[in-house]
């Protein structure tokens, strides 16, 4: 749907940079890498220093390699209510100590990932156990205590690029020790 809407916008204004960026993103999400590459090259002709276009071309280069690891299987339609913020129950957080770019290139918005406790550090890993990054020390320490007490958390990719990954953490089950 995003592809058709942005194509309509571009029929009216073929130099609409926002529509081009959204179209390129939609093509990447739909695994139409050649079309996405064409869009991002067009953006660079219009704006040679556009960082989003450059970074997405790097991402496409990684995804296009013949021996590139396959990304996650698509899980039907994206739930637009997934990232609703609830004070005290949810948090969006940028990861630190990011993993390899060939792993990060496959991340998609809404992808469920796993929180793993490691020596007072919380790592974020894909369902196939690929390292994505870590939570910052202050949040790791707090979440480590809650998880050790029996709390359970869901974690999803909210935003991902080769240089920045933001996850959305949602409390699923509150530890009885911290119920009040």
């Amino acid at each position: 749907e995003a592809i058709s809407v942005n194509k309509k916008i571009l029929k009216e204004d073929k130099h609409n940079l926002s529509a081009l960026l959204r179209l390129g993103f939609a093509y990447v999400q739909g695994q139409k890498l050649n079309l996405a590459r064409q869009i991002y090259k067009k953006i660079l002709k219009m704006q040679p220093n556009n960082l989003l276009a450059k970074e997405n071309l790097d991402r496409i280069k990684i995804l296009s390699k013949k021996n590139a690891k396959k990304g996650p299987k698509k899980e039907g339609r994206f739930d637009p209510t997934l990232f609703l913020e609830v004070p005290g129950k949810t948090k969006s957080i940028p990861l630190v100590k990011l993993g390899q770019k060939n792993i990060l290139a496959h991340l998609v918005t809404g992808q469920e990932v796993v929180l793993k406790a490691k020596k007072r550090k919380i790592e974020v890993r894909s369902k196939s156990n690929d390292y994505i990054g870590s939570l910052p020390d202050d949040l790791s320490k707090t979440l480590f205590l809650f998880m050790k007490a029996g709390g359970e958390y869901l974690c999803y990719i909210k935003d991902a690029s080769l240089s920045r990954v933001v996850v959305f953490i949602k409390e699923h089950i509150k530890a009885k020790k911290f119920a009040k």
Side-chain angles (χ1 to χ4, degrees), residues 107-180:
L107 297 176
V108 294
T109 301
Q111 175 184 345
E112 188 171 1
V113 291
V114 180
L115 298 173
K116 287 211 172 180
K118 294 255 183 153
K119 296 181 183 176
R120 295 191 172 258
K121 200 76 157 139
I122 304 292
E123 291 182 350
V124 177
R125 292 185 172 264
S126 68
K127 291 217 173 184
S128 57
N129 205 34
D130 293 318
Y131 177 80
I132 297 169
S134 297
L135 296 179
D137 289 343
D138 57 341
L139 184 60
S140 275
K141 185 177 179 183
T142 304
L143 211 54
F144 182 85
L145 294 172
F146 290 159
M147 289 170 72
K148 190 175 178 184
E152 293 181 23
Y153 297 84
L154 301 174
C155 187
Y156 302 93
I157 299 297
K158 187 171 184 180
D159 182 33
S161 69
L162 297 179
S163 59
R164 184 171 190 263
V165 177
V166 177
V167 293
F168 184 75
I169 301 172
K170 185 185 289 190
E171 184 179 55
H172 181 59
I173 297 174
K174 185 174 264 205
K176 290 181 182 176
K177 180 178 178 181
F178 299 107
K180 294 183 182 181

Side-chain angles (χ1 to χ4, degrees), residues 75-83 110 170:
E75 301 173 5
R77 288 185 63 89
F78 178 74
D79 179 8
T81 64
L82 179 65
F83 298 120
K170 185 185 289 190

Side-chain angles (χ1 to χ4, degrees), residues 17-171:
L17 190 62
S18 297
L20 285 167
L21 286 166
R22 288 190 303 267
L23 183 60
F25 179 78
Y27 281 145
V28 170
Q29 296 294 60
Q31 300 296 311
K32 297 176 181 178
L33 301 180
N34 287 331
L35 293 171
R37 184 181 293 114
Q38 290 171 8
I39 295 295
Y40 288 122
K41 284 182 178 180
K42 183 175 182 178
I43 291 168
L44 286 178
K45 284 180 184 174
M46 292 168 53
Q47 273 190 352
N49 293 323
N50 188 297
L51 293 177
L52 280 173
K54 286 180 179 181
E55 186 165 295
N56 278 298
L57 282 171
D58 289 343
R59 184 177 188 187
I60 290 167
K61 186 187 259 184
I62 292 169
L63 293 172
S64 296
K65 289 183 180 175
K66 287 184 180 178
N67 60 353
K69 187 175 179 180
K70 295 290 182 200
K73 291 179 182 164
K74 301 290 182 219
E75 301 173 5
R77 288 185 63 89
F78 178 74
D79 179 8
T81 64
L82 179 65
F83 298 120
L84 289 178
E85 298 276 348
V86 179
K89 294 242 180 226
T90 62
K91 185 159 184 78
S92 294
I93 192 86
L95 298 181
V96 296
K97 299 177 186 163
L98 295 179
Q100 297 176 346
K101 288 185 178 187
N102 62 335
I103 303 296
L104 301 181
H106 289 284
L107 297 176
V108 294
T109 301
Q111 175 184 345
E112 188 171 1
V113 291
V114 180
L115 298 173
K116 287 211 172 180
K118 294 255 183 153
K119 296 181 183 176
R120 295 191 172 258
K121 200 76 157 139
I122 304 292
E123 291 182 350
V124 177
R125 292 185 172 264
S126 68
K127 291 217 173 184
S128 57
N129 205 34
D130 293 318
Y131 177 80
I132 297 169
S134 297
L135 296 179
D137 289 343
D138 57 341
L139 184 60
S140 275
K141 185 177 179 183
T142 304
L143 211 54
F144 182 85
L145 294 172
F146 290 159
M147 289 170 72
K148 190 175 178 184
E152 293 181 23
Y153 297 84
L154 301 174
C155 187
Y156 302 93
I157 299 297
K158 187 171 184 180
D159 182 33
S161 69
L162 297 179
S163 59
R164 184 171 190 263
V165 177
V166 177
V167 293
F168 184 75
I169 301 172
K170 185 185 289 190
E171 184 179 55

